[in-house]
Amino acid sequence: MSVLRRVRSFLAQLLLLAVLGGLTAFLVSGPIRLANGRTDDGLRGDIRALAPANRDLTFSGIHAAGLLSSADQADRLPEIEQHLPAPLRGLVSGSWYIAETDLSAIVPAGTGVQSCPNVAVLRYEPATEAAIRIVAGRAAASSMSPEVLVGQDAAKQLGIKVGDRLDMSARWGTTRLRVVGVFAPVNPADPIWTDQQLHKGACPNPLDGLRDEAVLLTDQTGAQMASASLNDLTDRWRYRLDENRITADQVDALTRSVAEARRTPPEKTSIQSSVDSTLADFDRQVRAVRSLLAVVQAGILATAAGLILLAARLMTERRRPEFALIRARGGAVGAVAGRTLLEVLIVVPVAIVIGWLGGTLLPGRADALEPVLVAAVALLAILAAPVSAALVARRPSFSGDRSDVVALRPSPRRLTAEGFLVLLAGGGIYLVRLRGLDSGAGVDPYLIGAPVLLALAASVIALRGVPFPLRWAGNLAARARGAIAFLGLSGAGRAPLHSGPLAVLVVAIATGLFTGTVTSTVGSARDHAADLAVPADAVVSGFFFTPETAQQIGALPHVDKATPVLLASGTSIRGNASVNILQGQAMVVDAAASGLDLPAALTGATRTDGPVPAIASSHLAALIGTGGTAEVLGRAYKFTVAVVTDQVPGLAAGTKDFLVLPQQAMPIPSYQLVQPNRILIDGDGVDFEQVRKTADAGQREQVKRSTGRVVEDWQLPVPSTVTTRESYRAGLENRGVDGALTFTFVAGMIAAAALSLTAVALAVLTGAPARGRTLSRLRTMGLSPGQGRRLLVFELVPLIAVAVVAGGLAGFALPALIGPALDLGGFTAGVAAGITLDPWFAGGVLALAVLAVIAALAVENVANRRLRLGTVLRVGEEQS
């Protein structure tokens, strides 16, 4: 019962310790689960958007020379699946056997040779029989010749109907197909159809444009007959990985499993899939997010742990006379620690369990280290107060001691420890830059804690350097009228007295400013990436527009300017320094009228029959030398390299080989005008749907001019799309694991701000009794309550200012110091991430400092009411 009475007597201090322990237990479980959940969701979203070749495991059959598939290997599906190494086996959600040809030209029977005919794959896939419904004709039942089914969309696009005959030509033979049915999928979302979509492909000659690529279904007999005629048929076994079962922590193991399956595939098969390279890209993103999360998590948990230690110290300092009395009566140090431990065990474990359970209720995946971290938090919260009580009881005192005087003359042991801490921080930062935070060998606590050590080192340096200017300021204040400034600065000058709160506050501010700096850096780089990719308010993209389309769009309401641009991928480039024919992306634009931020060499160029000035990427410039020729739309133009740069408005960041030519200077003949495929639009309130319709009309006209055919919008090779700068910029924040990145930044800043205020409050509470005795004495000399609050301000503002400066410098420097380990380039669309800080974040830190002072005044007021300043002096005298 005596234990319960003590718990009731010191319930406030125990509850503070319990709340901080429970909060820390929540922080090591809940936010991490949310971050992991967002990482998994982003990973799954990206996997769903991948093409089948990039997300499915596909094995191709290997046959002896001269032998082809007989389309009868469906029974090997379970055998090959069982051969898959773990964890791949447990992730397969669907499997299909396929016997198919390569892409082969198809033309109506009897049609002559075409320069760019449509192509198709002839496929036998048993599982499709139950996945289709016949909308015209009947199912395939080959006898005299292969019979095929064609999908509704493909039939419409290719102009095929039931009864048509098609000639399919492969490299080694030709066969005639008979169209006997048109089908529609029973469930269009079924993954069986993901590799059978109708899509466009490039013609061998770029001047011929694009062609359709389709899949034609046949039966087993039809596949065998076509195989004999075409001398082309291959077995494939396709396995769909269920993205809903894949989590970010499995990516590395999955990559190794796919590599193992590639090295040792099932007998007579080879893997034909790039899923391992896809997973490797994901793993790079996940590692980068994990590194950022680890830095923020380490900073927040270190701050929370520091608050627990401060709360334990607060509780034991308030009970110093009690512990001194126990020692005076013959009690041992262990007895003091034991009775404190009993009190803590009644309150704190329950709070830790509640905090941990609260964290487990949040959606997301638990981290593998969660049990270890929760156990560490429990040990810290339970043992902090008993250990602190034992330290206090070792040197019993009824009236307290002048710890500030002792701290102002630190022992060689303490100075050595502080110097070692600084060296430890420097060594940790160096190793992080050298090895990274996640080198694949598991989590290294030293490297993860290096940013926290840097913040602690900054607090130590500030702790040793600040008292001297404050004492000088206090001496100046002593010569002025009034004692408030002198007394406050004198208390602030004894900064070692606040070493604990200062260290905690510096770590919290450094963590918050680190997240703010990284947020600003990533945001600024993404803004720049959006400006490069969409250097206007919007850009219209298509296959080819007429030269007049830009003028027609410019005449639309609210359109201020429309600039035509040609982006020609795969342009043939011949340089003066090499006989090799290179390929790159050519951008042709009227540099003088475009308004783009281009060099004067291009904007000032005028019409010439000789070489025109050009911008070249550094990689391309190193290969071509000082100039050369570029083939644009089938015509060669000479150029000289006037400017070398790796970023140009209108080209997405990361484009390796590019050339920018000034259209106004090029000798373009009137009978072969440049056909743009991009139009840059500037204007407010533009009706982009009207812009898209006008652009499609321009594409239809261009098709008519080049082929003589009249087409509808749905027949266009590439329908027009409008991309605004805002939508492109927003898209950069909705890729992959960006959701986890955003959550990490927001949660880190909020937690850092809340914990910073808590640290200030504990600093006030720690010094409240001593300040109360001082105020009681000063009130006998006429000190007013307002002057008492000013005294606290003079004492706390230097502490907060030092913490803001030290923590701010550490937080701002961290991204630069450990930048290579963070790998921010994966989040900035290829733009180099220079370290920047949004002024709003800097203003937020100053606002937080002001809020901390206000909170300190409120806490001090509550503490003074509880201490009853009128009796503090008498109590202190009795204790002395």
Side-chain angles (χ1 to χ4, degrees):
M1 295 300 294
S2 61
V3 176
L4 295 178
R5 284 197 298 269
R6 292 199 307 273
V7 168
R8 286 196 299 269
S9 300
F10 302 104
L11 186 60
Q13 290 95 334
L14 288 170
L15 283 179
L16 176 61
L17 187 62
V19 168
L20 290 174
L23 175 63
T24 308
F26 174 81
L27 290 175
V28 300
S29 57
I32 297 176
R33 287 172 180 262
L34 286 174
N36 288 342
R38 289 174 180 260
T39 302
D40 294 343
D41 290 342
L43 179 63
R44 292 161 183 161
D46 274 6
I47 291 177
R48 291 189 190 102
L50 290 173
N54 293 332
R55 65 162 294 174
D56 293 342
L57 282 174
T58 303
F59 293 87
S60 294
I62 299 176
H63 300 281
L67 298 180
L68 297 173
S69 166
S70 55
D72 59 356
Q73 298 295 307
D75 56 349
R76 291 198 66 187
L77 269 175
E79 171 199 335
I80 294 176
E81 182 175 346
Q82 288 301 313
H83 189 274
L84 294 176
L88 287 175
R89 273 196 308 274
L91 298 176
V92 174
S93 61
S95 58
W96 304 275
Y97 166 71
I98 300 166
E100 64 181 3
T101 66
D102 291 332
L103 278 173
S104 303
I106 55 169
V107 296
T111 304
V113 178
Q114 300 178 8
S115 61
C116 184
N118 293 319
V119 292
V121 167
L122 183 63
R123 170 179 293 191
Y124 165 60
E125 189 169 4
T128 58
E129 295 179 6
I132 64 172
R133 56 184 179 85
I134 304 296
V135 297
R138 59 174 175 80
S142 304
S143 56
M144 302 299 295
S145 64
E147 296 182 349
V148 299
L149 300 175
V150 61
Q152 271 185 314
D153 294 339
K156 180 179 179 182
Q157 181 68 23
L158 300 176
I160 296 174
K161 60 183 183 298
V162 175
D164 286 351
R165 295 181 182 274
L166 304 173
D167 286 337
M168 173 173 276
S169 301
R171 182 179 181 182
W172 305 109
T174 301
T175 189
R176 178 158 294 184
L177 310 176
R178 181 185 177 194
V179 180
V180 297
V182 177
F183 70 89
V186 174
N187 178 15
D190 192 321
I192 194 175
W193 303 114
T194 56
D195 65 339
Q196 299 189 42
Q197 301 297 320
L198 178 72
H199 60 273
K200 299 287 185 181
C203 291
N205 184 352
L207 295 178
D208 290 330
L210 301 177
R211 61 185 178 183
D212 292 306
E213 298 179 357
V215 175
L216 305 178
L217 298 180
T218 187
D219 58 351
Q220 185 177 25
T221 303
Q224 293 169 345
M225 296 172 65
S227 172
S229 301
L230 298 173
N231 199 27
D232 176 22
L233 193 68
T234 304
D235 294 314
R236 303 195 197 281
W237 297 268
R238 174 177 163 230
Y239 298 90
R240 167 56 57 100
L241 300 181
D242 186 359
E243 69 276 3
N244 293 319
R245 303 182 205 170
I246 299 177
T247 55
D249 59 335
Q250 295 177 310
V251 170
D252 187 49
L254 286 175
T255 305
R256 291 196 300 268
S257 296
V258 176
E260 181 183 345
R262 190 181 298 279
R263 288 193 304 269
T264 58
E267 184 181 3
K268 295 183 179 180
T269 67
S270 65
I271 190 169
Q272 304 291 325
S273 175
S274 61
V275 67
D276 48 349
S277 60
T278 300
L279 290 172
D281 291 338
F282 285 144
D283 188 50
R284 177 174 172 266
Q285 294 185 38
V286 169
R287 286 178 184 273
V289 170
R290 197 158 50 203
S291 297
L292 283 170
L293 181 60
V295 173
V296 176
Q297 179 187 359
I300 296 301
L301 294 184
T303 304
L307 292 177
I308 291 175
L309 296 177
L310 288 179
R313 176 184 172 188
L314 173 64
M315 184 178 76
T316 54
E317 284 293 334
R318 292 288 179 87
R319 300 175 63 179
R320 179 181 288 273
E322 174 193 345
F323 298 152
L325 182 60
I326 294 174
R327 292 299 309 280
R329 292 176 175 175
V333 172
V336 173
R339 65 189 277 130
T340 307
L341 178 62
L342 290 177
E343 298 164 6
V344 169
L345 288 175
I346 293 176
V347 179
V348 173
V350 176
I352 291 175
V353 171
I354 292 174
W356 175 58
L357 290 178
T360 60
L361 294 177
L362 296 181
R365 171 175 49 85
D367 192 83
L369 292 176
E370 180 179 303
V372 177
L373 292 175
V374 172
V377 170
L379 286 175
L380 177 65
I382 292 173
L383 297 180
V387 171
S388 179
L391 294 176
V392 169
R394 286 183 60 189
R395 294 163 60 179
S397 171
F398 286 95
S399 58
D401 59 354
R402 293 294 304 273
S403 58
D404 55 332
V405 175
V406 175
L408 283 171
R409 298 180 178 85
S411 65
R413 182 182 300 174
R414 177 163 182 170
L415 289 176
T416 301
E418 292 176 353
F420 179 70
L421 174 64
V422 174
L423 291 177
L424 206 61
I429 295 298
Y430 172 76
L431 288 178
V432 168
R433 290 179 61 88
L434 190 66
R435 296 172 48 190
L437 289 168
D438 188 350
S439 59
V443 176
D444 188 330
Y446 175 45
L447 298 183
I448 292 298
V452 175
L453 292 175
L454 178 67
L456 290 176
S459 71
V460 166
I461 295 172
L463 191 69
R464 292 301 163 207
V466 166
F468 301 103
L470 284 180
R471 269 179 259 157
W472 175 77
N475 292 334
L476 291 180
R479 302 174 187 175
R481 296 184 59 186
I484 301 301
F486 167 71
L487 292 174
L489 291 175
S490 296
R494 296 190 292 270
L497 183 62
H498 306 294
S499 58
L502 178 65
V504 173
L505 195 55
V506 168
V507 173
I509 292 175
T511 302
L513 205 60
F514 167 79
T515 58
T517 301
V518 174
T519 301
S520 298
T521 297
V522 172
S524 177
R526 286 175 172 174
D527 290 341
H528 186 45
D531 291 339
L532 289 175
V534 187
D537 293 325
V539 59
V540 185
S541 305
F543 188 62
F544 281 119
F545 306 108
T546 62
E548 302 82 21
T549 303
Q551 185 178 358
Q552 295 166 358
I553 291 177
L556 296 175
H558 306 294
V559 176
D560 298 331
K561 190 175 185 179
T563 303
V565 177
L566 171 65
L567 291 184
S569 301
T571 298
S572 297
I573 302 172
R574 295 175 175 85
N576 295 335
S578 174
V579 297
N580 296 328
I581 300 177
L582 307 174
Q583 284 195 329
Q585 188 166 34
M587 174 178 170
V588 180
V589 61
D590 188 339
S594 66
L596 299 178
D597 185 16
L598 297 174
L602 269 71
T603 57
T606 57
R607 174 65 181 261
T608 178
D609 291 331
V612 299
I615 301 174
S617 64
S618 58
H619 183 264
L620 182 62
L623 298 175
I624 63 177
T626 59
T629 59
E631 187 175 313
V632 179
L633 298 180
R635 188 174 185 83
Y637 295 93
K638 296 181 179 180
F639 67 89
T640 58
V641 178
V643 178
V644 177
T645 181
D646 287 325
Q647 292 183 352
V648 170
L651 291 173
T655 306
K656 186 177 181 180
D657 295 318
F658 66 81
L659 197 68
V660 181
L661 302 173
Q663 183 175 342
Q664 80 276 9
M666 296 167 61
I668 301 173
S670 58
Y671 56 84
Q672 194 177 359
L673 297 177
V674 170
Q675 304 160 14
N677 55 10
R678 302 284 190 280
I679 298 176
L680 308 180
I681 300 174
D682 286 299
D684 293 327
V686 178
D687 184 349
F688 290 116
E689 180 61 24
Q690 190 176 9
V691 168
R692 188 191 62 77
K693 291 179 179 178
T694 304
D696 275 345
Q699 288 207 82
R700 293 198 307 272
E701 178 62 25
Q702 181 58 39
V703 171
K704 181 179 179 182
R705 292 181 185 179
S706 58
T707 66
R709 294 188 301 114
V710 177
V711 297
E712 301 296 329
D713 287 349
W714 61 270
Q715 294 176 302
L716 291 172
V718 180
S720 301
T721 58
V722 180
T723 304
T724 64
R725 184 191 287 117
E726 289 75 13
S727 65
Y728 184 90
R729 175 64 178 83
L732 295 178
E733 296 187 355
N734 296 317
R735 303 180 307 167
V737 293
D738 285 335
L741 189 69
T742 302
F743 170 79
T744 299
F745 291 156
V746 174
M749 286 186 284
I750 293 176
L755 295 178
S756 297
L757 295 177
T758 307
V760 173
L762 285 178
V764 173
L765 290 174
T766 300
R771 235 180 350 263
R773 288 190 292 271
T774 301
L775 289 176
S776 295
R777 293 186 178 98
L778 291 175
R779 283 193 179 184
T780 63
M781 304 177 190
L783 182 76
S784 66
Q787 290 175 320
R789 288 190 290 270
R790 287 172 54 198
L791 178 64
L792 177 63
V793 171
F794 274 108
E795 184 174 337
L796 281 184
V797 165
L799 171 70
I800 295 174
V802 169
V804 167
V805 172
L809 290 176
F812 182 73
L814 259 180
L817 292 175
I818 64 175
L822 296 179
D823 192 19
L824 297 179
F827 307 112
T828 57
V831 174
I835 304 302
T836 59
L837 179 62
D838 193 319
W840 284 102
F841 285 115
V845 174
L846 296 179
L848 179 65
V850 174
L851 185 60
V853 173
I854 296 173
L857 292 174
V859 172
E860 177 80 352
N861 184 55
V862 173
N864 288 343
R865 289 177 182 272
R866 289 180 59 86
L867 288 172
R868 296 193 297 273
L869 291 183
T871 63
V872 166
L873 182 59
R874 179 171 57 81
V875 171
E877 290 175 345
E878 290 176 354
Q879 292 174 348
S880 62

